[in-house]
């Protein structure tokens, strides 16, 4: 899950793709931070989010979904 103040998204990964769903759901990893930091993380330009859970899974997602 990705979360910024006032916003949250749950991502579901499969072998072929991922989907975004608004809101928080139980997750293997959660990354929280201000919206600009979330965006910079998605672009691979920051690594400052508060991560709980399986950080390796987050890094795998970020590598595969690089913008």
């Amino acid at each position: 899950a990705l979360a910024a103040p006032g916003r949250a998204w749950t991502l579901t990964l499969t072998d072929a793709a991922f989907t975004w769903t608004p809101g928080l759901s139980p997750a293997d990893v959660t990354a929280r931070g201000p919206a600009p930091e979330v965006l910079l993380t998605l672009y691979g330009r920051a690594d400052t989010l508060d991560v709980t859970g399986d950080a390796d899974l987050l890094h795998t997602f970020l590598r595969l979904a690089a913008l």
Side-chain angles (χ1 to χ4, degrees):
L2 290 172
R7 301 279 190 257
W9 305 269
T10 298
L11 294 97
T12 303
L13 304 176
T14 66
D15 289 337
F18 63 89
T19 58
W20 297 74
T21 307
L24 284 175
S25 297
D28 294 325
V29 60
T30 300
R32 297 182 197 285
E37 294 300 317
V38 171
L39 184 59
L40 286 172
T41 298
L42 291 172
Y43 276 104
R45 301 196 43 134
D47 191 17
T48 58
L49 300 179
D50 177 28
V51 177
T52 56
D54 186 351
D56 289 337
L57 179 60
L58 175 63
H59 290 270
T60 298
F61 165 74
L62 292 172
R63 183 176 43 82
L64 294 173
L67 297 175

